[in-house]
Amino acid sequence: QKNISEIQRVREYTRGQLEQRGFTVLPSVSNFLFVRSNFGTAEDLYGALRALGVLIRYWKTPRIKDWCRITIGTQEQMDTLLNAVDTIRKERGL
């Protein structure tokens, strides 16, 4: 129960932080978020994060090609993701 509560807390924190950065985030009750970036394609987001050492999931299938899947990790891991997103946005003048 403690782990479930922590995943829920970190998921909601991450959701809010991504939404503040202009992402569209689908509702989730799981250990991941489906997100759409406001500053490029999902494939672009995947590649830019990967270049910074942050791995998320991306599939080129028609139904979900505009979305990335972010697995909820520890608070520290999610802060690493958010810092990488901020770096990308800054590089692009956003």
Side-chain angles (χ1 to χ4, degrees):
Q1 191 62 37
K2 180 181 173 188
N3 288 341
I4 292 170
S5 294
E6 181 62 6
I7 289 168
Q8 291 170 334
R9 184 193 69 75
V10 174
R11 181 187 65 224
E12 293 312 308
Y13 164 80
T14 304
R15 169 198 298 285
Q17 292 296 309
L18 289 170
E19 287 175 342
Q20 286 179 13
R21 289 163 173 83
F23 281 70
T24 301
V25 184
L26 295 181
S28 176
V29 293
S30 186
N31 68 333
F32 63 87
L33 296 170
F34 263 110
V35 304
R36 184 170 48 203
S37 163
N38 65 335
F39 58 86
T41 66
E43 186 173 18
D44 177 51
L45 175 63
Y46 167 77
L49 286 171
R50 184 179 171 113
L52 294 173
V54 177
L55 299 178
I56 61 173
R57 298 296 306 263
Y58 168 72
W59 295 274
K60 255 187 180 172
T61 57
R63 193 166 166 190
I64 58 172
K65 68 178 177 53
D66 296 330
W67 299 87
C68 289
R69 179 182 187 245
I70 298 173
T71 301
I72 302 303
T74 65
Q75 181 72 53
E76 181 181 5
Q77 291 167 329
M78 297 295 93
D79 286 339
T80 297
L81 165 79
L82 295 168
N83 289 334
V85 166
D86 290 343
T87 297
I88 296 163
R89 290 171 49 84
K90 185 176 180 181
E91 288 173 353
R92 296 176 183 193
L94 302 173

